[in-house]
Amino acid sequence: MIADYNTMPRMFWECNRLYFGHSLPTPKFGLMKKLNTLARFEYQKNKKGKSPIMRQIILFSEYYDFDEETFKNLMVHEMIHYYLAWKGVKTELDHGKEFMAIANELNEKYGLNITKTLDASSFKRTEQAPKAKSFLTQFSKWVGLI
């Protein structure tokens, strides 16, 4: 499953219904050109208004073709971050005890596999993904090796 502006909202709506009781408003969705970040949740704190956050967005890397289970687990992972922020839960760490309590509950109750991190080295890459050689060349230039 390649992340795009059709697959991300559909998966969000399904997961919001199944695991969050339709409690999360639909965020914006975006794509990233990243090999080292599979997905992420971003938002701004709301200093005025009812909700503690605003301008929430879920981003996925456009460089991977995930199987459906992995895509769902990644979406739910980002939705846990969203849920905590939306509810105004103060967390000390991104994947601290509050995050892991929800992840473990969903894993046990629904047979999901929400983890803190994933090793992307075995995931199939899309055609847009940089080839290993060009990525290493770019990285080498960036760190000043060449």
Side-chain angles (χ1 to χ4, degrees):
M1 228 177 176
I2 298 172
D4 62 29
Y5 294 102
N6 291 313
T7 57
M8 289 185 291
R10 279 199 318 263
M11 185 61 75
F12 174 86
W13 295 326
E14 179 184 335
C15 294
N16 197 19
R17 178 180 60 80
L18 291 172
Y19 312 124
F20 295 92
H22 292 292
S23 64
L24 296 173
T26 303
K28 294 201 180 297
F29 298 96
L31 296 170
M32 306 179 290
K33 293 183 182 302
K34 298 227 178 224
L35 282 172
N36 60 348
T37 303
L38 302 176
R40 70 180 295 121
F41 170 68
E42 295 178 356
Y43 66 95
Q44 289 182 337
K45 290 189 178 184
N46 190 1
K47 301 202 188 313
K48 301 175 186 174
K50 303 186 276 188
S51 64
I53 65 169
M54 59 186 203
R55 294 189 184 101
Q56 51 273 15
I57 184 169
I58 293 177
L59 302 147
F60 269 75
S61 173
E62 64 181 33
Y63 290 160
Y64 293 97
D65 185 356
F66 303 106
D67 61 67
E68 188 170 352
E69 181 182 350
T70 301
F71 193 81
K72 180 185 282 190
N73 286 319
L74 284 168
M75 180 62 76
V76 174
H77 176 114
E78 299 314 322
M79 291 174 74
I80 294 170
H81 289 300
Y82 183 6
Y83 180 83
L84 290 169
W86 186 254
K87 296 296 183 183
V89 176
K90 303 263 189 261
T91 58
E92 292 185 29
L93 302 169
D94 281 346
H95 300 109
K97 64 182 180 181
E98 300 87 356
F99 177 92
M100 289 310 300
I102 295 171
N104 290 335
E105 179 183 331
L106 293 174
N107 288 343
E108 192 169 310
K109 189 172 182 178
Y110 298 104
L112 299 173
N113 186 26
I114 313 304
T115 59
K116 292 180 183 184
T117 60
L118 282 177
D119 177 8
S121 62
S122 65
F123 294 147
K124 182 179 174 188
R125 293 189 183 174
T126 62
E127 290 182 18
Q128 296 91 335
K131 304 296 180 238
K133 184 177 179 183
S134 65
F135 175 72
L136 290 174
T137 302
Q138 290 290 42
F139 180 76
S140 298
K141 287 179 183 175
W142 181 68
V143 296
L145 296 175
I146 56 174

